[in-house]
Amino acid sequence: MMNTIIQLSLAVICLFIIWRIYKTMKANPQLFSKENLSKSFASAGVLALILIGFVFVLVMLLKTGK
């Protein structure tokens, strides 16, 4: 019984999220323009490289500590 309620709740939440995304895309079609997407991917790439470097430094610190 509880499992069914949880599944139904998750389905309703997912439908609400999809509806909000659809409404946002209809209101702002320029959100997914080529220029905006390329800027976003460039920013995500830089942040990913910084995160990889940070994890590398932490791993090296753990190895030298032993």
Side-chain angles (χ1 to χ4, degrees), residues 12-55:
V12 169
I13 291 170
C14 288
L15 287 174
F16 176 74
I17 291 171
I18 290 170
W19 176 74
R20 288 298 303 160
I21 291 171
Y22 175 76
K23 294 295 279 183
T24 303
M25 287 174 56
K26 279 293 198 184
N28 299 319
Q30 74 275 9
L31 283 177
F32 294 101
S33 68
K34 186 176 181 179
E35 295 83 22
N36 286 340
L37 286 177
S38 66
K39 288 179 188 176
S40 296
F41 281 121
S43 299
V46 169
L47 289 173
L49 289 175
I50 291 171
L51 180 63
I52 290 169
F54 180 70
V55 170

